[in-house]
PDB file of all heavy atoms in Angstrom:
ATOM      1  N   GLY A 175     -27.540  89.090   4.282  1.00 98.00           N
ATOM      2  CA  GLY A 175     -27.791  87.859   5.228  1.00 98.00           C
ATOM      3  C   GLY A 175     -28.173  86.671   4.336  1.00 98.00           C
ATOM      4  O   GLY A 175     -28.301  85.676   4.876  1.00 98.00           O
ATOM      5  N   ASN A 201     -16.770  84.765   0.972  1.00 98.00           N
ATOM      6  CA  ASN A 201     -17.284  84.891   2.340  1.00 98.00           C
ATOM      7  C   ASN A 201     -17.573  86.454   2.551  1.00 98.00           C
ATOM      8  O   ASN A 201     -16.606  87.212   2.618  1.00 98.00           O
ATOM      9  CB  ASN A 201     -16.187  84.490   3.395  1.00 98.00           C
ATOM     10  CG  ASN A 201     -16.674  84.661   4.803  1.00 98.00           C
ATOM     11  OD1 ASN A 201     -17.467  84.062   5.203  1.00 98.00           O
ATOM     12  ND2 ASN A 201     -16.102  85.652   5.425  1.00 98.00           N
ATOM     13  N   GLU A 202     -18.879  86.807   2.594  1.00 98.00           N
ATOM     14  CA  GLU A 202     -19.285  88.231   2.717  1.00 98.00           C
ATOM     15  C   GLU A 202     -19.075  88.602   4.214  1.00 98.00           C
ATOM     16  O   GLU A 202     -19.933  88.323   5.030  1.00 98.00           O
ATOM     17  CB  GLU A 202     -20.724  88.419   2.127  1.00 98.00           C
ATOM     18  CG  GLU A 202     -21.260  89.772   2.241  1.00 98.00           C
ATOM     19  CD  GLU A 202     -20.314  90.915   1.760  1.00 98.00           C
ATOM     20  OE1 GLU A 202     -20.304  91.185   0.574  1.00 98.00           O
ATOM     21  OE2 GLU A 202     -19.763  91.600   2.638  1.00 98.00           O
ATOM     22  N   THR A 203     -17.980  89.216   4.470  1.00 98.00           N
ATOM     23  CA  THR A 203     -17.548  89.463   5.833  1.00 98.00           C
ATOM     24  C   THR A 203     -18.530  90.468   6.575  1.00 98.00           C
ATOM     25  O   THR A 203     -18.564  90.437   7.775  1.00 98.00           O
ATOM     26  CB  THR A 203     -16.099  90.021   5.818  1.00 98.00           C
ATOM     27  OG1 THR A 203     -15.310  89.269   4.904  1.00 98.00           O
ATOM     28  CG2 THR A 203     -15.470  89.961   7.148  1.00 98.00           C
ATOM     29  N   SER A 204     -19.283  91.251   5.805  1.00 98.00           N
ATOM     30  CA  SER A 204     -20.204  92.202   6.416  1.00 98.00           C
ATOM     31  C   SER A 204     -21.432  91.560   7.081  1.00 98.00           C
ATOM     32  O   SER A 204     -22.065  92.063   7.834  1.00 98.00           O
ATOM     33  CB  SER A 204     -20.540  93.366   5.580  1.00 98.00           C
ATOM     34  OG  SER A 204     -21.168  92.907   4.397  1.00 98.00           O
ATOM     35  N   THR A 205     -21.672  90.295   6.514  1.00 98.00           N
ATOM     36  CA  THR A 205     -22.971  89.677   6.891  1.00 98.00           C
ATOM     37  C   THR A 205     -22.782  88.250   7.538  1.00 98.00           C
ATOM     38  O   THR A 205     -23.708  87.666   8.080  1.00 98.00           O
ATOM     39  CB  THR A 205     -23.896  89.505   5.713  1.00 98.00           C
ATOM     40  OG1 THR A 205     -23.227  88.760   4.731  1.00 98.00           O
ATOM     41  CG2 THR A 205     -24.297  90.911   5.133  1.00 98.00           C
ATOM     42  N   GLY A 206     -21.588  87.664   7.160  1.00 98.00           N
ATOM     43  CA  GLY A 206     -21.333  86.216   7.767  1.00 98.00           C
ATOM     44  C   GLY A 206     -21.928  85.260   6.770  1.00 98.00           C
ATOM     45  O   GLY A 206     -22.361  84.163   7.225  1.00 98.00           O
ATOM     46  N   VAL A 207     -22.048  85.561   5.430  1.00 98.00           N
ATOM     47  CA  VAL A 207     -22.678  84.687   4.605  1.00 98.00           C
ATOM     48  C   VAL A 207     -21.581  84.077   3.705  1.00 98.00           C
ATOM     49  O   VAL A 207     -20.658  84.703   3.235  1.00 98.00           O
ATOM     50  CB  VAL A 207     -23.701  85.477   3.654  1.00 98.00           C
ATOM     51  CG1 VAL A 207     -24.008  84.686   2.336  1.00 98.00           C
ATOM     52  CG2 VAL A 207     -24.932  85.742   4.409  1.00 98.00           C
ATOM     53  N   VAL A 208     -21.682  82.747   3.389  1.00 98.00           N
ATOM     54  CA  VAL A 208     -20.820  82.016   2.517  1.00 98.00           C
ATOM     55  C   VAL A 208     -21.570  81.713   1.212  1.00 98.00           C
ATOM     56  O   VAL A 208     -22.789  81.359   1.284  1.00 98.00           O
ATOM     57  CB  VAL A 208     -20.190  80.733   3.114  1.00 98.00           C
ATOM     58  CG1 VAL A 208     -21.227  79.731   3.373  1.00 98.00           C
ATOM     59  CG2 VAL A 208     -19.024  80.196   2.335  1.00 98.00           C
ATOM     60  N   ARG A 338     -22.575  79.519  16.970  1.00 98.00           N
ATOM     61  CA  ARG A 338     -23.970  79.604  16.573  1.00 98.00           C
ATOM     62  C   ARG A 338     -24.853  79.058  17.764  1.00 98.00           C
ATOM     63  O   ARG A 338     -25.878  79.505  18.068  1.00 98.00           O
ATOM     64  CB  ARG A 338     -24.243  78.785  15.269  1.00 98.00           C
ATOM     65  CG  ARG A 338     -23.765  79.438  14.068  1.00 98.00           C
ATOM     66  CD  ARG A 338     -24.055  78.504  12.880  1.00 98.00           C
ATOM     67  NE  ARG A 338     -22.938  78.741  11.841  1.00 98.00           N
ATOM     68  CZ  ARG A 338     -22.373  77.817  11.107  1.00 98.00           C
ATOM     69  NH1 ARG A 338     -22.742  76.552  11.306  1.00 98.00           N
ATOM     70  NH2 ARG A 338     -21.414  78.151  10.250  1.00 98.00           N
ATOM     71  N   LEU A 349     -27.812  86.687  11.746  1.00 98.00           N
ATOM     72  CA  LEU A 349     -28.188  87.532  10.557  1.00 98.00           C
ATOM     73  C   LEU A 349     -28.302  86.687   9.328  1.00 98.00           C
ATOM     74  O   LEU A 349     -29.218  86.776   8.520  1.00 98.00           O
ATOM     75  CB  LEU A 349     -27.165  88.622  10.347  1.00 98.00           C
ATOM     76  CG  LEU A 349     -27.436  89.534   9.128  1.00 98.00           C
ATOM     77  CD1 LEU A 349     -28.642  90.409   9.282  1.00 98.00           C
ATOM     78  CD2 LEU A 349     -26.217  90.345   8.738  1.00 98.00           C
ATOM     79  N   ALA A 350     -27.288  85.765   9.146  1.00 98.00           N
ATOM     80  CA  ALA A 350     -27.233  84.928   7.956  1.00 98.00           C
ATOM     81  C   ALA A 350     -28.385  83.816   7.975  1.00 98.00           C
ATOM     82  O   ALA A 350     -28.586  83.212   8.930  1.00 98.00           O
ATOM     83  CB  ALA A 350     -25.800  84.314   7.857  1.00 98.00           C
ATOM     84  N   SER A 351     -28.926  83.617   6.862  1.00 98.00           N
ATOM     85  CA  SER A 351     -29.964  82.621   6.689  1.00 98.00           C
ATOM     86  C   SER A 351     -29.311  81.230   6.990  1.00 98.00           C
ATOM     87  O   SER A 351     -28.064  80.990   6.735  1.00 98.00           O
ATOM     88  CB  SER A 351     -30.593  82.527   5.250  1.00 98.00           C
ATOM     89  OG  SER A 351     -30.994  83.797   4.959  1.00 98.00           O
ATOM     90  N   CYS A 354     -26.721  79.522   4.486  1.00 98.00           N
ATOM     91  CA  CYS A 354     -25.537  80.152   3.949  1.00 98.00           C
ATOM     92  C   CYS A 354     -24.764  80.740   5.116  1.00 98.00           C
ATOM     93  O   CYS A 354     -24.017  81.764   4.855  1.00 98.00           O
ATOM     94  CB  CYS A 354     -25.900  81.186   2.905  1.00 98.00           C
ATOM     95  SG  CYS A 354     -26.995  82.466   3.458  1.00 98.00           S
ATOM     96  N   GLN A 355     -24.768  80.105   6.305  1.00 98.00           N
ATOM     97  CA  GLN A 355     -23.941  80.643   7.406  1.00 98.00           C
ATOM     98  C   GLN A 355     -22.523  80.277   7.266  1.00 98.00           C
ATOM     99  O   GLN A 355     -22.187  79.110   6.991  1.00 98.00           O
ATOM    100  CB  GLN A 355     -24.560  80.036   8.701  1.00 98.00           C
ATOM    101  CG  GLN A 355     -25.940  80.685   9.012  1.00 98.00           C
ATOM    102  CD  GLN A 355     -26.625  79.995  10.071  1.00 98.00           C
ATOM    103  OE1 GLN A 355     -26.312  78.853  10.540  1.00 98.00           O
ATOM    104  NE2 GLN A 355     -27.822  80.521  10.402  1.00 98.00           N
ATOM    105  N   SER A 356     -21.609  81.248   7.361  1.00 98.00           N
ATOM    106  CA  SER A 356     -20.264  80.991   7.086  1.00 98.00           C
ATOM    107  C   SER A 356     -19.483  80.514   8.296  1.00 98.00           C
ATOM    108  O   SER A 356     -19.826  80.740   9.465  1.00 98.00           O
ATOM    109  CB  SER A 356     -19.579  82.381   6.699  1.00 98.00           C
ATOM    110  OG  SER A 356     -18.176  82.178   6.592  1.00 98.00           O
ATOM    111  N   ASN A 357     -18.497  79.651   7.984  1.00 98.00           N
ATOM    112  CA  ASN A 357     -17.681  79.162   9.147  1.00 98.00           C
ATOM    113  C   ASN A 357     -16.522  80.055   9.509  1.00 98.00           C
ATOM    114  O   ASN A 357     -15.691  79.813  10.427  1.00 98.00           O
ATOM    115  CB  ASN A 357     -17.182  77.793   8.772  1.00 98.00           C
ATOM    116  CG  ASN A 357     -18.176  76.696   8.704  1.00 98.00           C
ATOM    117  OD1 ASN A 357     -19.249  76.849   9.335  1.00 98.00           O
ATOM    118  ND2 ASN A 357     -17.970  75.617   7.890  1.00 98.00           N
ATOM    119  N   ALA A 358     -16.459  81.189   8.794  1.00 98.00           N
ATOM    120  CA  ALA A 358     -15.425  82.135   9.013  1.00 98.00           C
ATOM    121  C   ALA A 358     -15.742  83.127  10.119  1.00 98.00           C
ATOM    122  O   ALA A 358     -14.920  83.601  10.818  1.00 98.00           O
ATOM    123  CB  ALA A 358     -15.006  82.895   7.698  1.00 98.00           C
ATOM    124  N   LEU A 359     -16.966  83.472  10.160  1.00 98.00           N
ATOM    125  CA  LEU A 359     -17.511  84.434  11.248  1.00 98.00           C
ATOM    126  C   LEU A 359     -19.002  84.228  11.380  1.00 98.00           C
ATOM    127  O   LEU A 359     -19.691  83.798  10.550  1.00 98.00           O
ATOM    128  CB  LEU A 359     -17.163  85.913  10.944  1.00 98.00           C
ATOM    129  CG  LEU A 359     -18.094  86.638  10.005  1.00 98.00           C
ATOM    130  CD1 LEU A 359     -17.857  88.131  10.152  1.00 98.00           C
ATOM    131  CD2 LEU A 359     -17.688  86.286   8.500  1.00 98.00           C
ATOM    132  N   THR A 360     -19.449  84.618  12.569  1.00 98.00           N
ATOM    133  CA  THR A 360     -20.942  84.456  12.925  1.00 98.00           C
ATOM    134  C   THR A 360     -21.327  85.921  13.312  1.00 98.00           C
ATOM    135  O   THR A 360     -20.882  86.665  14.031  1.00 98.00           O
ATOM    136  CB  THR A 360     -21.103  83.667  14.172  1.00 98.00           C
ATOM    137  OG1 THR A 360     -20.541  82.330  13.887  1.00 98.00           O
ATOM    138  CG2 THR A 360     -22.538  83.487  14.493  1.00 98.00           C
ATOM    139  N   SER A 361     -22.458  86.251  12.482  1.00 98.00           N
ATOM    140  CA  SER A 361     -23.037  87.649  12.738  1.00 98.00           C
ATOM    141  C   SER A 361     -24.333  87.399  13.497  1.00 98.00           C
ATOM    142  O   SER A 361     -25.225  86.689  13.221  1.00 98.00           O
ATOM    143  CB  SER A 361     -23.377  88.310  11.353  1.00 98.00           C
ATOM    144  OG  SER A 361     -24.024  87.424  10.551  1.00 98.00           O
ATOM    145  N   ILE A 396     -25.964  94.591  14.779  1.00 98.00           N
ATOM    146  CA  ILE A 396     -25.405  93.242  14.877  1.00 98.00           C
ATOM    147  C   ILE A 396     -24.058  93.309  15.541  1.00 98.00           C
ATOM    148  O   ILE A 396     -23.435  94.356  15.537  1.00 98.00           O
ATOM    149  CB  ILE A 396     -25.354  92.565  13.484  1.00 98.00           C
ATOM    150  CG1 ILE A 396     -24.334  93.239  12.580  1.00 98.00           C
ATOM    151  CG2 ILE A 396     -26.665  92.339  12.871  1.00 98.00           C
ATOM    152  CD1 ILE A 396     -23.885  92.430  11.353  1.00 98.00           C
ATOM    153  N   ARG A 398     -20.231  90.796  15.144  1.00 98.00           N
ATOM    154  CA  ARG A 398     -19.680  89.795  14.364  1.00 98.00           C
ATOM    155  C   ARG A 398     -18.457  89.225  15.121  1.00 98.00           C
ATOM    156  O   ARG A 398     -17.638  89.911  15.529  1.00 98.00           O
ATOM    157  CB  ARG A 398     -19.290  90.329  13.020  1.00 98.00           C
ATOM    158  CG  ARG A 398     -20.366  90.853  12.099  1.00 98.00           C
ATOM    159  CD  ARG A 398     -19.823  91.494  10.888  1.00 98.00           C
ATOM    160  NE  ARG A 398     -19.132  92.744  11.163  1.00 98.00           N
ATOM    161  CZ  ARG A 398     -18.119  93.190  10.427  1.00 98.00           C
ATOM    162  NH1 ARG A 398     -17.726  92.437   9.356  1.00 98.00           N
ATOM    163  NH2 ARG A 398     -17.503  94.224  10.752  1.00 98.00           N
TER     164      ARG A 398
END
Side-chain angles (χ1 to χ4, degrees):
N201 179 70
E202 178 48 81
T203 317
S204 60
T205 60
V207 160
V208 68
R338 284 176 213 140
L349 176 74
S351 311
C354 57
Q355 289 163 355
S356 173
N357 292 334
L359 79 159
T360 301
S361 50
I396 63 162
R398 294 174 298 147

